[in-house]
Amino acid sequence: MRTPRLSPATALGPGSDLDQVFELAQQLRVDSVRASTAAGSGHPTSSLSAADLMAVLLTRHLRYDWEAPDDPAADHLVFSKGHASPLLYAMFKAAGAIDDDELMTTYRRSGHRLQGHPTPVLPWVDVATGSLGQGVAYGVGMALAGRDLEKRDFRVWVLCGDSEMTEGSVWEALDRAGHHRLANLTVLVDVNRLGQCGPTELEWDTDAYARRVEAFGCRPIVIDGHDLEAIDRALTTAADGQGPTVVIARTVKGRGVSEVADKNGWHGKPLPQDMADRAVAELGGVRDLRARGPRPPATPSADPVTAEARDTRPPSLPRFDVGDEIATRVAFGAALAALGARPDVVALDAEVGNSTHAQDFREEHPERYFQSYIAEQQMIADAVGMAVRGFRPYATTFAAFLTRAHDFIRMAAVSQIGMSLCGTHCGVEIGADGPSQMGLEDLAMMRAVRGSTVLYPSDATSAAALTFAMADLDGISYLRTTRGAYPVLYPDGETFPVGGAKVLRRSEDDRVTLIGAGVTLHECLAAAGRLAEDGIPARVVDLYSVKPVDVDVLTAAARETGALVVVEDHRPQGGIGEAVLSALAPDGHVPAFAHLAVTGLPGSGTTDESLDAAGISRTHVVGAARRLVGRR
């Protein structure tokens, strides 16, 4: 085994010889062991296997200025195998971004930024990782943004583990990379053979990985992941502009520490202190080397996209006439196309743009329209990658199909990403297509996302206004739209503040409040008319903002009418009804309450038949209101 030959003052860079790079790799291993042992948790063996790959990348290929992490020309590094955070943080230490004290005393400790899996609380981290199978997908989004939107030549490097290569999202991502010929994307797969519970699916069958990668239109390069010369050649080749490259590196889990190397049962386990001491000695002792790779090319002082967006006049809302029957999805498409006047807005579609009307944007702004095909996880990942680069993505598909991308949405919130989502064709309202197409869980899913905003317009005017509003909201915002056309309720110029609600019918004598959104608001209006004929005045509330809700409007309705009927084209769990009750709970005033929602398994039928069969039609609203009023 080699012994350290470099002094602590030695600075490694692009001109360093491979013996020096070897010393850096050993330092990365040592610090990975030390940090995880000091924390009492972590994944040192997963870090040891990839240390040689990262040492070569850090010193010779990653074009990055550690003092200027927001440099728009800089490369990007995504640790898809986020559990190898000890290795990433050891790299940060080697680059001088953090010091040894922070690494050794704050890793995985409460209230500190070196968390168990990396998040953007660190300025050198673009996206949160740790939910395996997402890093390549994010890399594709960033690479698309760099090449097609920013017209920059930065590279995106992604480190993957071999276990996560069984995730379908990895292959969705590689399919997109191959389709788009993303020559600015390089994926490094750390094939260390062992997963959490034993050998991986393919173990060290690197040829099998290569065949699969090539089948998806990417260039595979198979190497020994501990041969520094081979690593350097592979990364040099990857940057030749010929296409997306996947470096398939055969490695040894726990490399350099004989007591754990290629031994099962050590995943996610720190080395006990005595073993850690022996491991550090075997690796040649503690070092304090500094490494800086090539710097990014010089760029203008201001980001052109941001500057252009700032100088552009605000787009104008599309207009609709009261009484005209227009689907909210149609209004969304028109508003999105108009919003494209802002150069930071991009639209992403999952091959249903002619139904969702997202493709209206393509007709006006084709250079900022991205077709993800039927790959909803990749669509969200592309949106995340573009948001990282300063764009405002609008990603749209049927509400039912967004549920399959929930983990990507959840992790986008962990990354504190700002993006806008639209789910169309929601609920049983779509009728004949049947239950596979009916989004009935999406409100619950989106309400549960940290920091999210959930909007549910009932007419074209509100849909357009809320589409515009989402462009400037922090976090993840979601707009739920319906398939069918319904009368425009609000005149041009009506405002719809996020967190608000509209009271469409009211009187001092109201005995019940009907609360709806989307199609059920129209059912509530019709029901209120029938109730009025029976001498039961009813208030009607348009709860277009589901999260946050208008607590004042709801509290006033509860106190003044004493009875609420909430009607929603959604499952009862996690939807509008629970949002209303949660809003009223702190006040302590619990009115008579009825909740009409979809509880059974819907089938095909007309819209009217489907609403009635689900118990959310105007007839059922009238019945529920009468029962509440009768009990009072």
Side-chain angles (χ1 to χ4, degrees), residues 418-462:
M419 65 178 177
S420 305
L421 308 178
C422 178
T424 72
H425 294 67
C426 59
V428 302
E429 186 270 349
I430 68 170
D433 280 343
S436 69
Q437 312 295 295
M438 296 173 175
L440 292 167
E441 304 82 15
D442 54 309
L443 289 177
M445 175 182 81
M446 293 307 306
R447 284 183 65 229
V449 172
R450 179 188 176 275
S452 64
T453 300
V454 181
L455 306 169
Y456 191 3
S458 301
D459 84 330
T461 300
S462 57

Side-chain angles (χ1 to χ4, degrees), residues 552-593:
D552 292 339
V553 165
L554 294 175
T555 301
R559 290 186 177 279
E560 294 168 11
T561 71
L564 305 182
V565 179
V566 176
V567 194
E568 59 182 310
D569 195 359
H570 187 272
R571 296 293 181 196
Q573 296 82 12
I576 296 174
E578 292 189 359
V580 170
L581 289 175
S582 295
L584 295 176
D587 183 64
H589 182 79
V590 181
F593 187 83

Side-chain angles (χ1 to χ4, degrees), residues 315-320 330-339 460-461 463-465 468 492-493:
S316 299
L317 272 170
R319 301 181 60 178
F320 307 97
V330 173
F332 162 76
L336 181 60
L339 194 59
T461 300
F468 267 42
D492 180 58

